[in-house]
Amino acid sequence: MQIKVCGMTQMEQVKQLDEMGVAYIGFIFYPASKRFVLTKNTLQDIADLQLTQAKKVGVFVNEPLTSILDIIKTAQLDMVQLHGDETVAYCDTLEGAIESACWFWNTHNLNVLADDNDVTGSTKVINGGTLGLDDRKARWLKALKAFN
């Protein structure tokens, strides 16, 4: 089982949760929330966190896509949780999907793993483990055949 703790505002507690093995730590980027992370911290404080296990999750409510992407980049978030009135269409926009995927690929240095044909390593980075590894290996082999 994976655990997510949300609404964190104290960086020392975040570090302790990471040491305890919590999988996801949520930071609220909604100014109306009592747990709004930027009341006590900066985006750089979040970026500077050196977590060994936990993924940093940004929680957004009705935030414009450009703002979310800026915060992801500056705070070095691993994931986003949309918790507002976002439509499926908004979440499914080609522009948003492409920007998000490219940002993730680039910030997690996945070219290095891809160049080494390290499907297991890239799966661990993308999925946080090896769930889906067999499917990804099959798709990788199919893609290689298409290029040869």
Side-chain angles (χ1 to χ4, degrees):
M1 175 186 350
Q2 294 185 337
I3 297 173
K4 176 184 172 214
V5 178
C6 202
M8 300 308 303
T9 60
Q10 297 181 32
M11 297 303 114
E12 194 55 42
Q13 288 178 345
V14 170
K15 293 174 192 172
Q16 292 169 347
L17 289 169
D18 181 53
E19 291 169 5
M20 292 169 55
V22 168
Y24 306 97
I25 297 176
F27 301 96
I28 308 295
F29 290 96
Y30 182 54
S33 171
K34 294 178 186 178
R35 307 297 291 162
F36 180 50
V37 68
L38 298 181
T39 300
K40 298 180 180 181
N41 303 281
T42 66
L43 294 174
Q44 191 60 51
D45 292 333
I46 298 166
D48 289 343
L49 286 168
Q50 299 297 314
L51 305 179
T52 58
Q53 298 180 62
K55 300 289 185 192
K56 295 184 278 187
V57 181
V59 180
F60 298 90
V61 179
N62 302 326
E63 190 75 24
L65 180 60
T66 54
S67 178
I68 292 173
L69 293 172
D70 287 343
I71 292 170
I72 289 169
K73 183 178 179 181
T74 305
Q76 298 179 14
L77 300 177
D78 299 299
M79 299 177 170
V80 167
Q81 176 183 336
L82 300 175
H83 196 63
D85 299 315
E86 296 86 4
T87 64
V88 172
Y90 172 89
C91 298
D92 214 19
T93 61
L94 181 60
E95 177 185 85
I98 290 171
E99 287 179 4
S100 178
C102 292
W103 172 85
F104 186 89
W105 187 273
N106 187 44
T107 59
H108 289 83
N109 246 354
L110 286 169
N111 274 347
V112 173
L113 296 172
D115 289 345
D116 290 339
N117 292 316
D118 187 354
V119 179
T120 302
S122 64
T123 300
K124 287 180 179 178
V125 171
I126 294 166
N127 292 357
T130 56
L131 184 65
L133 178 61
D134 292 337
D135 181 59
R136 185 165 278 117
K137 282 183 178 179
R139 291 172 187 268
W140 181 259
L141 292 173
K142 186 176 180 180
L144 286 178
K145 286 180 186 176
F147 287 112
N148 290 327

